[in-house]
Amino acid sequence: MKRSPEFSTITAAADGKPGPWTPLSWQGKPQAQAVAYPDPARLTDAVNRLRALPPLVTSWEVERLRALIAEAQNGRRFLLQGGDCAETFGDCRSDIVTAKLKILLQMSLVLIHGGGKPVIRVGRFAGQYAKPRSSATETRDGQELPSYFGDLVNRQEFSAAARAPDPDLLIDGYLHAAVTLNFVRSLAAGGFADLHHPEFWDLSSLHRADLPSDLRAEYLRMVKQLGEALRFMEALGERSVDDLTRVEFFASHEGLSLHYEAAQTRQVPRRVGHYDLTTHLPWVGERTRDLDGAHIEFFRGIRNPVGVKIGPKATPDEVLRLLERLNPSNEPGKLVLIARMGAAKVAPALPPLVEAVKREGRLVLWVSDPMHGNGRTLPSGIKTRDAEDIFREVETFFDVHKAAGTHAGGVHFELTGDDVTECIGAGLTEADLDRNYQSACDPRLNYRQALEMAFRMAHRMAGDQRTG
Ligand code: PEP
Ligand code: CO
């Protein structure tokens, strides 16, 4: 790997070499967003039970995702990642999980059609139960209690008992993740969305009154075209059709609770290294990615591909040091950099990072998270995001990569397949927000907004293809 002299000097002087890694070496490092469990003996007991339970995913699935991400790094695939900001145990229901899979599938179809390449589908599901918070406590009517850190840690209700961190929730989280994954796998294996039969895709949601008729017509036209194209390619004996039509889902979540991640991290027969088998693609959040902190220490040691959120204040040096720490031998398929800058900040903030990564020959997949830099709180106190800002950030992300000659490798959305009213734009105004605001954390795109986003991206990708 090429390395600029300034960077080598900084690395050697400031960081030195990290010590030996074990699944528990993170415990010697400062831990951002650490949870203060009141009873350490109960925590140890829960972690030991979790360690004994079978893995949720397998090493060969993790390796397959790495191989797919490696291809995406070369521009041969596009990654679509999406789901709730915070999954809740209460939402572990067939209708909600099915709706989420459907919107991800439909978006992927639209993106395949627009971008002309296979899409890697990654859900923010089956484990997205732990949330970083800007404040450790929350005060209501003079009472101060721990903030809600997600169902893996404590409960939403505002009472001392509900907000006390409960280690048994680590086991409950594992079980809800297992049930969700079981359902996702069965649906995918059972022909839930065989692309050869697009008429089996549940199009009933497209007939909802709130979906504009032009969008519905475009979707139906595309499904028909795609079906014809597939039949034609198969008639020619085209082998890549299989690849294009395989309906695979991978799971992802923020690897925030290192107790949870480490308990399911193990070596497996006939493979080298440790796998975090709670999920295929864990990511490190913007608030926990300190170079010398516990999270980076943990994630540098596992075989899984790892995502890292990158905000607008990140410097090229900081990003390069993270890449060196997490992937010292520059292996393909290992790192996904998820830029979450904000619509106004992405144009100035992203290019220096993209250029530095390119200059150093670092292998990463650049993904845009156009959600987390675009939050705003209305005077009424409601948290929302504007679909126009979200799209503007994605559009700028594509512009930046086009100018740099690098690949805009994927997108990361907070979305749901339901008709929630959390983000404005694309059919909703501020006045609509209290109609069906459900999110346990950040506002998500609803079904129509998500599909519209996919169409807008697809048009952009198709345009880029035409103009080279
Ligand atoms: C999230 O993805 O829900 C999140 C908290 O993101 P970030 O770490 O980018 O703020
Ligand atoms: Co969020």
Side-chain angles (χ1 to χ4, degrees):
M1 200 195 76
K2 285 189 282 131
R3 174 72 50 80
S4 67
E6 325 82 85
F7 176 57
S8 315
T9 321
I10 291 163
T11 306
D15 309 331
K17 277 250 175 284
W21 183 91
T22 75
L24 295 179
S25 54
W26 58 272
Q27 291 185 338
K29 304 280 176 181
Q31 195 189 150
Q33 301 280 330
V35 172
Y37 284 98
D39 184 343
R42 277 191 59 215
L43 174 63
T44 305
D45 176 60
V47 166
N48 286 339
R49 280 183 287 147
L50 192 52
R51 190 170 288 132
L53 288 163
L56 295 174
V57 303
T58 61
S59 61
W60 54 91
E61 292 167 346
V62 170
E63 289 297 337
R64 171 156 169 83
L65 179 59
R66 269 187 73 138
L68 297 178
I69 291 175
E71 291 184 15
Q73 288 173 340
N74 290 325
R76 295 205 301 275
R77 291 177 188 270
F78 189 79
L79 185 132
L80 170 66
Q81 189 173 12
D84 300 302
C85 179
E87 244 182 327
T88 63
F89 298 167
D91 280 354
C92 183
R93 296 178 5 185
S94 64
D95 54 344
I96 292 182
V97 176
T98 309
K100 220 174 315 184
L101 288 194
K102 266 182 210 153
I103 182 62
L104 284 173
L105 270 170
Q106 292 181 356
M107 288 174 82
S108 69
L109 181 60
V110 172
L111 293 171
I112 290 169
H113 189 249
K117 54 178 109 165
V119 169
I120 312 168
R121 301 176 195 88
V122 181
R124 278 176 70 114
F125 54 43
Q128 178 51 20
Y129 298 126
K131 296 306 301 174
R133 302 315 302 252
S134 44
S135 170
T137 61
E138 180 182 346
T139 303
R140 288 192 203 172
D141 302 326
Q143 191 185 13
E144 188 180 15
L145 292 176
S147 295
Y148 167 62
F149 282 91
D151 281 8
L152 197 65
V153 175
N154 59 2
R155 298 170 176 86
Q156 271 189 74
E157 184 197 307
F158 194 77
S159 71
R163 289 292 174 90
D166 178 355
D168 284 343
L169 295 175
L170 295 167
I171 308 287
D172 287 354
Y174 166 94
L175 295 174
H176 282 85
V179 168
T180 306
L181 268 177
N182 180 57
F183 189 48
V184 169
R185 290 184 198 285
S186 308
L187 288 174
F192 165 70
D194 183 345
L195 220 60
H196 292 87
H197 303 283
E199 61 276 22
F200 293 158
W201 289 43
D202 183 1
L203 303 183
S204 59
S205 35
L206 290 166
H207 296 290
R208 284 181 200 157
D210 72 343
L211 196 75
S213 54
D214 53 339
L215 216 65
R216 182 186 315 163
E218 187 174 355
Y219 180 80
L220 293 173
R221 202 164 50 242
M222 182 199 70
V223 166
K224 189 160 167 281
Q225 264 180 18
L226 217 92
E228 282 164 7
L230 283 174
R231 280 187 287 277
F232 180 65
M233 279 157 74
E234 276 170 339
L236 293 176
E238 183 57 66
R239 279 220 301 271
S240 63
V241 176
D242 238 20
D243 202 30
L244 201 66
T245 58
R246 192 198 323 242
V247 173
E248 261 179 321
F249 282 98
F250 294 95
S252 71
H253 62 248
E254 177 170 351
L256 188 64
S257 169
L258 296 177
H259 297 295
Y260 183 73
E261 307 302 324
Q264 279 281 317
T265 294
R266 55 193 72 174
Q267 288 179 293
V268 299
R270 292 175 297 282
R271 285 195 200 274
V272 177
H274 286 75
Y275 289 82
D276 176 353
L277 296 176
T278 61
T279 193
H280 303 108
L281 174 59
W283 78 84
V284 188
E286 169 74 354
R287 293 181 179 85
T288 50
R289 59 168 175 76
D290 308 336
L291 183 66
D292 294 312
H295 290 81
I296 295 299
E297 172 60 20
F298 176 75
F299 286 104
R300 82 181 169 90
I302 58 168
R303 282 285 306 165
N304 304 54
V306 170
V308 184
K309 293 288 198 88
I310 301 291
K313 295 202 183 106
T315 64
D317 269 349
E318 193 182 343
V319 171
L320 292 176
R321 287 181 202 186
L322 279 169
L323 300 181
E324 170 70 22
R325 183 64 60 86
L326 288 165
N327 189 16
S329 44
N330 205 22
E331 290 177 31
K334 171 72 194 177
L335 275 180
V336 179
L337 286 185
I338 308 166
R340 32 85 82 219
M341 304 276 169
K345 296 189 179 145
V346 60
L350 187 57
L353 308 181
V354 169
E355 289 297 342
V357 169
K358 182 180 166 190
R359 186 185 69 234
E360 298 296 323
R362 282 289 179 180
L363 293 172
V364 304
L365 183 68
W366 280 106
V367 167
S368 169
D369 163 0
M371 311 301 291
H372 288 90
N374 289 315
R376 55 164 130 141
T377 306
L378 297 172
S380 56
I382 297 181
K383 284 205 292 184
T384 192
R385 291 158 170 160
D386 188 330
E388 290 311 315
D389 293 337
I390 293 170
F391 185 67
R392 209 147 45 86
E393 177 155 356
V394 175
E395 182 98 69
T396 313
F397 174 81
F398 275 92
D399 292 342
V400 167
H401 284 286
K402 197 170 181 191
T406 46
H407 299 296
V411 280
H412 179 127
F413 288 110
E414 287 186 342
L415 54 78
T416 161
D418 298 311
D419 277 332
V420 299
T421 56
E422 297 169 6
C423 293
I424 55 175
L428 293 184
T429 65
E430 283 182 30
D432 295 308
L433 293 185
D434 52 10
R435 196 151 42 79
N436 191 20
Y437 198 106
Q438 300 278 340
S439 178
C441 196
D442 293 332
R444 302 160 295 178
L445 296 171
N446 65 18
Y447 171 75
R448 174 216 156 142
Q449 291 169 324
L451 198 60
E452 196 164 324
M453 209 56 72
F455 271 112
R456 292 173 73 168
M457 288 191 300
H459 290 158
R460 164 70 197 239
M461 287 160 90
D464 280 355
Q465 273 199 324
R466 276 195 299 275
T467 58

